Amino acid sequence: VVQHGLIMEDRIFTTSVLMPDKPGELVHVAKSIADVGGNVIRLDHNQFVSVNRNSSVELRITMEAFGTEHKNRILNNLRKEGYDPQIVDTKLY
């Protein structure tokens, strides 16, 4: 119940980004989130989202924020860094 409330208040959310499968890219995404105070609580890295792994891999990131405004700052910073974050259902199991 508590987790559901946090999700409803944009305190916990999940986004999906596509990124090149190359060394350092995960660090770049993590730094983009950390630079605006986001706290990553779960990562799912899927190399099989595309036939061509070099083209892109999917990273699903579940993180904590202080609310809707902070969530939007995190998403905007990811966009500024060249990613296209898509909100997806948050599952905390």
Side-chain angles (χ1 to χ4, degrees):
V1 173
V2 172
Q3 291 175 344
H4 180 71
L6 293 171
I7 292 167
M8 295 303 295
E9 294 177 4
D10 285 337
R11 298 278 312 272
I12 295 177
F13 68 100
T14 302
T15 186
S16 171
V17 296
L18 295 178
M19 61 183 200
D21 190 16
K22 65 180 187 181
E25 200 67 29
L26 180 58
V27 171
H28 189 250
V29 172
K31 183 173 180 349
S32 175
I33 293 166
D35 284 349
V36 290
N39 183 38
V40 174
I41 57 176
R42 180 179 177 159
L43 285 175
D44 292 306
H45 185 257
N46 182 358
Q47 293 180 319
F48 302 106
V49 71
S50 172
V51 174
N52 181 359
R53 276 186 30 198
N54 294 324
S55 169
S56 64
V57 296
E58 179 190 33
L59 184 64
R60 284 189 181 221
I61 312 153
T62 301
M63 61 190 105
E64 293 178 303
F66 297 116
T68 303
E69 182 181 323
H70 188 219
K71 171 186 168 182
N72 290 334
R73 275 197 326 234
I74 294 167
L75 295 172
N76 287 335
N77 204 50
L78 285 166
R79 288 182 191 104
K80 185 182 97 178
E81 295 297 322
Y83 302 103
D84 182 24
Q86 303 295 313
I87 297 298
V88 295
D89 286 340
T90 300
K91 294 182 175 39
L92 296 175
Y93 51 85

